[in-house]
Amino acid sequence: MTAHPLLVAPSILAADFGHLEADIRKVIAAGADWLHLDIMDGQFVDNISFGPAIVKLVRSLTTLPLDTHLIIQRPDHYVPRFAEAGANSITVHVEAEAKHEVAGTLRLIREQGCRAGLTLNPATPFELVEPHLPEIDLLLIMTVHPGFGGQSFRPETMAKVQRACELRESLGANYEIEVDGGINPETAAIARANGANVLVAGTSIFHAPDYATAIRELKTSAV
Ligand code: DX5
Ligand code: ZN
């Protein structure tokens, strides 16, 4: 099995939207590995964020991988638009409330030339993602219920990270294991110790006085 390097993906949901271009250039210069883009539709979750136009803007600013998290209903309908906008990976929710045929959507994402990601909320049983594990490049374990930044990390979700590692080994699969929500240097160390290798962080980076220090602290606390 391929080793999975430790990666930090700043979530631009916490960026300064009044100076978005400058803030994104700052976090890229500070050592971001990927950029995490939260797409919310006000239906799947009780919040609305941004769409393909912002993804296209971010695409124009960087060659870094754009990790697009579709927190929406009917993601299958929108996958081509986000692929066209420049997304590198597209992650969709497994819950029935997302109203799509999961296996078909994962195939569609790969057909669009993107890496296929699957995610589950803290309250969702891990069994729901198990049938799809051989078909994905990225498994996102939500460590908060999606919809807002600045929430507290839920340690009980680490059992799912452990299970994801076990199954990756036994299936001979190769997906990356990502965590998202309440990630700071302390919780990054916990997530890493349980087997996660991609750390999404909004508040702990964009609300920090120095982005490079914040990213370094996430990485060094997690080794
Ligand atoms: C929440 C989003 C997260 C969020 C993370 O629904 O999926 O990506 O922006 O923000 P923090 O790091 O502040 O919890
Ligand atoms: Zn997210």
Side-chain angles (χ1 to χ4, degrees):
M1 186 184 65
T2 319
H4 295 281
L6 180 62
L7 303 169
V8 170
S11 167
I12 73 160
L13 190 68
D16 172 2
F17 274 70
H19 304 92
L20 189 57
E21 179 171 340
D23 220 14
I24 288 176
R25 289 188 188 285
K26 230 170 95 183
V27 86
I28 293 165
D33 298 297
W34 298 357
L35 291 176
H36 185 82
L37 309 169
D38 293 300
I39 315 301
M40 302 178 191
D41 64 353
Q43 300 296 320
F44 185 75
V45 286
D46 185 21
N47 195 5
I48 298 171
S49 61
F50 48 83
I54 294 288
V55 174
K56 208 168 200 140
L57 165 73
V58 179
R59 180 75 291 162
S60 73
L61 301 176
T62 180
T63 56
L64 284 181
L66 300 188
D67 175 36
T68 308
H69 179 190
L70 299 188
I71 314 171
I72 65 174
Q73 290 182 342
R74 292 296 316 282
D76 51 325
H77 178 71
Y78 295 95
V79 162
R81 286 184 224 179
F82 287 102
E84 201 272 327
N88 296 93
S89 60
I90 297 178
T91 298
V92 297
H93 275 265
V94 73
E95 291 82 12
E97 291 78 10
K99 300 185 177 176
H100 67 119
E101 194 271 313
V102 176
T105 306
L106 295 173
R107 267 196 310 279
L108 174 63
I109 293 170
R110 283 184 164 173
E111 283 162 10
Q112 296 284 318
C114 297
R115 301 179 80 208
L118 188 59
T119 183
L120 70 168
N121 294 340
T124 304
F126 192 85
E127 289 69 34
L128 241 61
V129 298
E130 288 188 16
H132 306 288
L133 293 180
E135 314 308 324
I136 61 172
D137 304 296
L138 177 65
L139 180 65
L140 168 54
I141 311 273
M142 288 303 302
T143 45
V144 299
H145 186 76
F148 299 91
Q151 300 181 73
S152 299
F153 174 86
R154 295 173 60 163
E156 72 274 16
T157 59
M158 291 302 100
K160 292 176 179 172
V161 175
Q162 292 167 13
R163 181 84 181 121
C165 288
E166 287 162 16
L167 285 172
R168 183 172 59 187
E169 192 76 26
S170 59
L171 290 168
N174 199 28
Y175 47 81
E176 307 213 57
I177 301 174
E178 182 175 36
V179 288
D180 182 11
I183 299 298
N184 57 38
E186 189 196 329
T187 55
I190 295 169
R192 183 66 178 155
N194 283 279
N197 75 289
V198 186
L199 308 171
V200 174
T203 307
S204 67
I205 294 175
F206 285 105
H207 295 191
D210 182 74
Y211 295 177
T213 304
I215 291 173
R216 197 171 45 251
E217 286 178 354
L218 284 170
K219 285 193 171 177
T220 50
S221 73
V223 290

